[in-house]
Amino acid sequence: MEKEKKDDSFMMKLATLIVDKRKGFYLVFILLIVYSVLSMNKVKVNNDLTSYLPDSTETRQGLDLMGEQFITYGTARIMVCNITFEEAERLAEDIREMDGVSMLDFEDSEAYYHDMDALFKVTFDGEAGDQAAQEYLNGVLEALDGYDVYYSSDIGQEERDAADLNHDMVVILLLAGVVIVAVLLFTSTTYAEIPVFLMTFIVAAILNKGTNYWFGTISFVTDSIAVVLQLALAVDYAIILCHRFMEEHEDKDAREAVIVALSKAIPEISSSSLTTVSGMVAMMFMQFRIGYDMGIVLAKAILLSLFSVFFLMPGLLLTFAGAIDRSHHKSFVPKITAVGQFCVHTRFIVPPLLVAAVITGAILSGRAQYVYDVNTLKSKTMSENKFSVEMVNQNFGTVNQLAVIVPDGDYEKEGQVLRELECLPEVNSCMGLANIEAMDGYVLTRLLSPREFAELIDMDIEVADLLYSAYAVDDSNYGALLGGLNEYKVPLIDMFLFIYDQKERGNITLEEDLEETMADAYSQISIAKDQLLGEDCSRFVLELSVPLEGDETYAALDRIRGVVAKYYDYDDIYLVGNSTSNRDLSDSFSMDNNTVTILTALFVMVILLFTFQSAGLPVLLVVTIQGSTWLNFSMPYLTGDVVYFLGYLVVSAIQMGATIDYAIVITSRYMDLKTYMPIKKAIVETLNQAFPTIVTSGSMLVAAGFIISNVSTNAVVAAIGLALGRGTLTSIGLVLLALPQTLLIGDIIIEKTAFTLRRETVKPLPAGGRIRMSGHIKGYVNGVIEGEFTGLIDGEMGAVVRARDTVEQMRQNVPVQEAPPRLEAADEAEGGDIRIVSCGNGKGQEAADDSSGMPEDGRAHASWNRTESDKETESARVQKGEEEEAANHDER
């Protein structure tokens, strides 16, 4: 065997550097791990999906406006079970007197008490995010200790959700870790490679989680699923490098094997990762900006996984090389020859069925019921917090609250709007400054003269006149002073706030009884003002009787807007609430869906176009995987379940970007094997070779999805997990049971749309019989082999052989008892290939291929790619007499 030339390519130099400087890279990774661990706790997790709404949506603009101009005090719905109405009334009075409780609603009605269950609606001093509000809520809950209590509150909800998610993530990672180890044990060939995989995975996950700090804030959805998806999506890269190392290590020492394996794996892995990254990038173009959040974090996860595989794993392989050599075991992955034979026999049946199924899936997935509200979803597992909220909602209904924001300055107009809104059948209650009762039946915005105001709060009329005069001066309304104060009227809320402000400044002094009355009134009035009156806007708060989403709800929103538009300009009105958010998401879903689908398919097709150098093949692969997506989301329609819109968008991108790799694995092996053997046998062998890779990566992704679905207490995360697990399973089924038939039937399309023409004279021919050959063999061999590069092949073969002997030497190597080979030297235009044909069954007739491409006469065929020394024999031809002699020899 000739000594191979030293490879001085860039990849070999890079691989050598990485392997030889592995200790330096170990140090780099240790520093990065320390940085990432320290940064993890600095990453903020956003639990509010509405914050990712596009800036152009009404809900987003309205939320920003409310955040600037209004204060939203912390509230809680507290349900106490198994008490009488009298006990409930007593508890209500006790709670009203507690510190931090500004208002409590409880009355003798079905909405507050039924079936021995009481509901208290409590408003606290302090905004929902304040620590003080959390302490007030805790105080009320402690006072109710001993009762059967459930509650729902916006106070501390983010902290409770974060705690639930952290607990879920620990359980999910533990279960996923068990599954990953079990899968690797099942599919690996050595035990010692598993620690290498796990260390590579864990380091990549730590780096990704820590570097999320660069973005400042990420969504709770991304935070919950990124680690598990990273492990499942990136496992292929580590497997490719490990398998390359195993192959090279058969005839090379550990160091050289790692270097060569890495030099070959870097381009292959980089190419493989492109389709996955393209799916993540497609999500970043969604209008709903959580797609950008998930896309950029997951894309970063893939890149950091590549970084770990390229720069950390080679050193680990070399470190564990001895243990790997000593821990070989039989792979437990079975051959699936039966599946391949099924694909061959059904090649004319399955493709039409696949087309029909894809079309049906597209139609049914479009008819599925898509939901946009988190409260519509139910997770299989509930945390204590989620269970408490669910109990309150089950017994007293889910609150569908809507805020209506209008320009301020006209209390009379506001009163008219509120009265008309209260008459709408879908409005249970409606609150605004113009209909909140202050004292003795007077609403806060009622216009009162000095005498009326004095009678209301039991004040001397002279004092009231002085106060009204001061108010007129402060308001620069000198006409009221000149025209007389008797007819000067001021809104009750404005007068209360003015008097209280003057008292605080020390400009006026009130009698003790009057000051106490003013203080009590001010407490209620200021809360109402903070929540309902901004700098230049007023807010109405409605509770609706319609569901949180759906056509009925959206029609109700249109009617409410229509009423308000009678009094205000249409463009000055904002409706804000869960229902408007759901409507905005519904409106953007169609565009986001088209964006993700088209961009993902486009990115993947471009990558496949350059990978396989064929225009037809990318279409076949993309249609198969897109078909699996449609089939995935047609199942909820058939089972009557709902589809969470975000799950559809995210899983569509991941399913196309990640599971297309399974199709690529099968296709690339098929394209290679079919050059050495008939296409029918090639597809059978392809499935046997590709199945270990697919079952390893696919089972991890399926398991990750179903684990997330069953463990996560967050309904959004659980919905995404379910769709992911079901979708990956669908993709695996299609690439194993439908793609092979599609490749067989579409082979002619692949060939016709190839960018380069394949020369038939170069393509090896399948054969059967016996032949002696010398050279490096690459191809399909089914039979008995004696020797590595120089020896006998007795059986069926189709191979490309790089000859190491000249033609004359080859002729001399043929034993006397065997037929001398017929040598055919191709001309220079064909690249100088030499085909050697040996007859091994005693027949000298020309080969006649059957439908499978196998020669009926059993002659062995092999193609030699000439070396430089073979050029001297370019004019060598076997004369016709020699061929006849060979034929006669076989006959004898």
Side-chain angles (χ1 to χ4, degrees):
M1 186 184 299
E2 296 179 4
K3 187 175 181 180
E4 295 183 6
K5 279 188 174 183
K6 183 178 179 181
D7 190 347
D8 291 328
S9 67
F10 171 76
M11 284 301 170
M12 280 294 293
K13 291 180 180 178
L14 177 61
T16 303
L17 173 67
I18 293 172
V19 173
D20 290 344
K21 302 297 183 182
R22 59 189 178 279
K23 293 182 179 179
F25 284 107
Y26 285 165
L27 178 60
V28 171
F29 275 97
I30 290 172
L31 294 176
L32 290 176
I33 289 170
V34 172
Y35 167 80
S36 298
V37 170
L38 295 177
S39 300
M40 281 182 190
N41 293 330
K42 298 179 181 180
V43 180
K44 296 180 180 178
V45 179
N46 185 358
N47 292 282
D48 182 14
L49 287 179
T50 60
S51 62
Y52 294 97
L53 287 168
D55 293 337
S56 59
T57 60
E58 178 184 22
T59 303
R60 181 70 265 151
Q61 294 174 0
L63 287 171
D64 292 341
L65 192 60
M66 288 198 301
E68 295 170 1
Q69 300 206 16
F70 302 96
I71 295 176
T72 301
Y73 287 97
T75 60
R77 301 169 73 213
I78 302 175
M79 181 178 74
V80 182
C81 302
N82 302 315
I83 60 173
T84 63
F85 182 76
E86 290 72 21
E87 289 178 297
E89 284 187 313
R90 179 178 56 80
L91 286 177
E93 291 302 319
D94 292 342
I95 294 173
R96 281 192 182 96
E97 301 300 321
M98 295 183 65
D99 290 340
V101 176
S102 59
M103 287 192 299
L104 183 142
D105 293 334
F106 177 74
E107 59 187 44
D108 185 8
S109 69
E110 187 77 9
Y112 291 89
Y113 184 86
H114 63 78
D115 299 330
M116 301 290 290
D117 296 335
L119 179 68
F120 306 119
K121 295 182 180 180
V122 186
T123 301
F124 296 94
D125 294 331
E127 297 183 60
D130 293 347
Q131 181 60 35
Q134 181 65 63
E135 293 175 358
Y136 297 148
L137 174 60
N138 292 339
V140 172
L141 295 176
E142 289 174 4
L144 296 174
D145 189 30
Y147 291 93
D148 190 8
V149 178
Y150 303 94
Y151 75 99
S152 171
S153 176
D154 54 353
I155 300 173
Q157 187 61 49
E158 288 192 7
E159 289 76 8
R160 292 192 294 275
D161 287 340
D164 291 343
L165 287 171
N166 290 334
H167 175 268
D168 294 347
M169 188 50 55
V170 171
V171 177
I172 289 171
L173 286 176
L174 288 175
L175 292 176
V178 171
V179 170
I180 289 172
V181 172
V183 171
L184 291 176
L185 282 171
F186 179 74
T187 58
S188 65
T189 56
T190 67
Y191 294 114
E193 71 185 57
I194 296 176
V196 175
F197 284 147
L198 294 179
M199 283 189 280
T200 304
F201 294 160
I202 292 171
V203 169
I206 291 174
L207 295 184
N208 189 52
K209 196 166 180 63
T211 52
N212 287 336
Y213 174 62
W214 298 345
F215 306 129
T217 302
I218 63 173
S219 72
F220 71 93
V221 180
T222 305
D223 187 58
S224 300
I225 66 176
V227 174
V228 178
L229 287 186
Q230 180 184 9
L231 297 182
L233 292 174
V235 66
D236 285 350
Y237 314 143
I239 291 174
I240 290 172
L241 178 57
C242 187
H243 285 182
R244 283 285 188 183
F245 168 71
M246 296 296 187
E247 293 173 3
E248 299 296 336
H249 195 30
E250 291 178 1
D251 57 355
K252 298 181 180 69
D253 61 42
R255 175 184 172 276
E256 185 181 0
V258 174
I259 292 174
V260 175
L262 182 59
S263 67
K264 293 179 179 179
I266 288 177
E268 183 179 355
I269 293 173
S270 301
S271 175
S272 175
S273 67
L274 288 177
T275 55
T276 305
V277 172
S278 67
M280 308 302 109
V281 172
M283 283 199 296
M284 295 170 62
F285 288 89
M286 287 169 50
Q287 283 186 315
F288 189 36
R289 299 311 293 163
I290 197 170
Y292 178 87
D293 179 84
M294 295 189 68
I296 195 169
V297 170
L298 289 175
K300 176 169 64 70
I302 300 300
L303 295 178
L304 288 173
S305 296
L306 292 175
F307 179 70
S308 299
V309 169
F310 292 159
F311 295 97
L312 175 63
M313 190 174 174
L316 295 176
L317 284 174
L318 189 55
T319 302
F320 281 80
I324 290 174
D325 292 339
R326 295 189 298 269
S327 62
H328 278 277
H329 67 84
K330 179 182 177 181
S331 176
F332 302 106
V333 180
K335 294 287 186 180
I336 57 170
T337 302
V339 175
Q341 292 173 344
F342 166 80
C343 293
V344 171
H345 294 314
T346 59
R347 63 188 183 279
F348 297 112
I349 300 174
V350 171
L353 293 178
L354 174 63
V355 173
V358 168
I359 295 173
T360 303
I363 295 172
L364 295 183
S365 64
R367 294 180 179 177
Q369 182 184 353
Y370 290 86
V371 296
Y372 306 89
D373 193 273
V374 177
N375 297 296
T376 308
L377 302 173
K378 306 296 180 189
S379 58
K380 294 181 180 179
T381 306
M382 282 192 184
S383 64
E384 183 179 347
N385 170 48
K386 297 294 184 184
F387 180 74
S388 181
V389 173
E390 183 65 19
M391 288 293 292
V392 175
N393 291 338
Q394 281 185 0
N395 283 270
F396 290 97
T398 302
V399 175
N400 187 3
Q401 199 169 73
L402 177 70
V404 180
I405 303 174
V406 297
D408 72 340
D410 193 333
Y411 291 139
E412 182 178 355
K413 187 186 294 185
E414 290 181 20
Q416 293 173 333
V417 173
L418 289 169
R419 285 189 292 274
E420 193 165 341
L421 288 175
E422 287 174 336
C423 296
L424 294 177
E426 53 268 15
V427 178
N428 284 336
S429 65
C430 185
M431 181 177 67
L433 288 178
N435 68 352
I436 293 179
E437 185 176 331
M439 303 172 65
D440 296 341
Y442 288 115
V443 297
L444 285 175
T445 57
R446 175 72 178 270
L447 295 173
L448 298 179
S449 64
R451 179 174 296 279
E452 291 172 327
F453 183 77
E455 293 175 351
L456 176 65
I457 63 172
D458 195 20
M459 175 186 287
D460 291 340
I461 184 63
E462 293 81 5
V463 175
D465 286 340
L466 289 174
L467 291 173
Y468 268 66
S469 298
Y471 181 88
V473 172
D474 187 71
D475 194 38
S476 300
N477 190 351
Y478 302 107
L481 296 175
L482 297 175
L485 292 175
N486 291 336
E487 301 302 323
Y488 181 43
K489 294 187 176 183
V490 177
L492 175 59
I493 182 174
D494 292 349
M495 200 65 213
F496 260 113
L497 294 175
F498 173 76
I499 294 174
Y500 189 85
D501 179 62
Q502 295 300 315
K503 181 183 75 68
E504 290 296 305
R505 292 181 181 182
N507 295 333
I508 61 174
T509 302
L510 301 175
E511 296 179 2
E512 184 176 346
D513 292 344
L514 183 57
E515 186 169 340
E516 183 177 348
T517 300
M518 292 293 297
D520 291 341
Y522 177 79
S523 176
Q524 303 298 319
I525 291 173
S526 63
I527 291 175
K529 174 183 177 295
D530 290 341
Q531 295 189 94
L532 302 175
L533 184 63
E535 294 181 5
D536 51 16
C537 293
S538 292
R539 178 167 65 171
F540 311 142
V541 179
L542 286 63
E543 286 193 6
L544 308 181
S545 60
V546 293
L548 291 167
E549 60 182 320
D551 294 338
E552 177 188 1
T553 302
Y554 304 148
L557 294 178
D558 291 338
R559 286 192 292 272
I560 291 171
R561 186 186 300 276
V563 169
V564 180
K566 294 179 182 178
Y567 303 91
Y568 298 93
D569 290 340
Y570 193 89
D571 294 337
D572 293 334
I573 303 169
Y574 294 93
L575 304 186
V576 185
N578 286 338
S579 292
T580 64
S581 172
N582 297 333
R583 188 175 193 172
D584 289 336
L585 293 174
S586 175
D587 292 340
S588 67
F589 171 66
S590 178
M591 180 173 292
D592 282 342
N593 182 27
N594 291 334
T595 299
V596 170
T597 301
I598 293 173
L599 287 181
T600 305
L602 184 62
F603 291 156
V604 169
M605 288 184 70
V606 170
I607 294 169
L608 295 179
L609 196 65
F610 287 98
T611 301
F612 292 109
Q613 298 288 299
S614 171
L617 187 55
V619 176
L620 296 178
L621 298 186
V622 169
V623 167
T624 301
I625 299 302
Q626 183 58 51
S628 69
T629 302
W630 286 329
L631 290 175
N632 177 22
F633 289 101
S634 66
M635 294 179 189
Y637 173 80
L638 298 175
T639 59
D641 296 326
V642 297
V643 178
Y644 187 55
F645 83 103
L646 186 57
Y648 184 92
L649 294 173
V650 172
V651 173
S652 294
I654 294 176
Q655 192 172 346
M656 172 64 77
T659 61
I660 193 72
D661 278 349
Y662 309 151
I664 293 174
V665 168
I666 288 180
T667 305
S668 60
R669 290 182 183 271
Y670 167 75
M671 296 292 287
D672 187 33
L673 289 174
K674 77 172 186 172
T675 62
Y676 311 132
M677 63 182 71
I679 59 175
K680 297 177 186 177
K681 291 191 175 183
I683 206 68
V684 175
E685 183 63 22
T686 291
L687 291 181
N688 280 327
Q689 292 184 16
F691 184 63
T693 302
I694 294 174
V695 74
T696 302
S697 174
S699 59
M700 288 184 186
L701 198 53
V702 170
F706 287 129
I707 287 172
I708 292 172
S709 171
N710 287 277
V711 172
S712 180
T713 58
N714 188 287
V716 173
V717 176
I720 294 175
L722 176 62
L724 179 63
R726 189 180 60 216
T728 306
L729 197 59
T730 306
S731 295
I732 293 174
L734 283 189
V735 298
L736 290 178
L737 300 175
L739 180 60
Q741 295 93 325
T742 304
L743 292 175
L744 288 174
I745 296 298
D747 190 78
I748 187 172
I749 299 176
I750 298 171
E751 295 292 336
K752 294 295 184 183
T753 58
F755 292 168
T756 57
L757 295 177
R758 292 172 173 80
R759 297 187 298 271
E760 293 299 325
T761 56
V762 178
K763 182 175 177 180
L765 298 176
R770 170 173 292 186
I771 186 171
R772 177 184 295 274
M773 59 178 57
S774 176
H776 178 78
I777 305 172
K778 179 182 179 183
Y780 159 77
V781 177
N782 182 18
V784 179
I785 302 178
E786 297 179 10
E788 292 185 2
F789 296 94
T790 302
L792 292 174
I793 294 180
D794 192 356
E796 295 178 351
M797 177 193 72
V800 171
V801 180
R802 185 174 299 278
R804 300 193 183 280
D805 296 329
T806 63
V807 174
E808 287 80 2
Q809 291 172 321
M810 289 299 301
R811 295 182 63 182
Q812 295 171 4
N813 288 337
V814 180
V816 176
Q817 67 269 21
E818 296 184 11
R822 174 162 57 89
L823 305 183
E824 298 176 352
D827 53 32
E828 291 186 19
E830 298 297 336
D833 292 328
I834 300 175
R835 174 166 297 141
I836 298 179
V837 181
S838 174
C839 305
N841 65 344
K843 296 182 180 180
Q845 59 183 354
E846 290 295 323
D849 291 353
D850 61 12
S851 60
S852 66
M854 290 298 296
E856 294 179 345
D857 64 348
R859 288 187 291 177
H861 298 254
S863 294
W864 263 260
N865 189 11
R866 290 187 309 163
T867 61
E868 291 296 323
S869 62
D870 293 333
K871 291 182 179 179
E872 300 175 0
T873 65
E874 178 176 319
S875 61
R877 301 284 185 184
V878 178
Q879 301 300 320
K880 183 176 181 181
E882 293 181 4
E883 295 178 350
E884 292 175 352
E885 180 184 352
N888 294 333
H889 180 80
D890 278 348
E891 289 293 334
R892 291 194 297 270

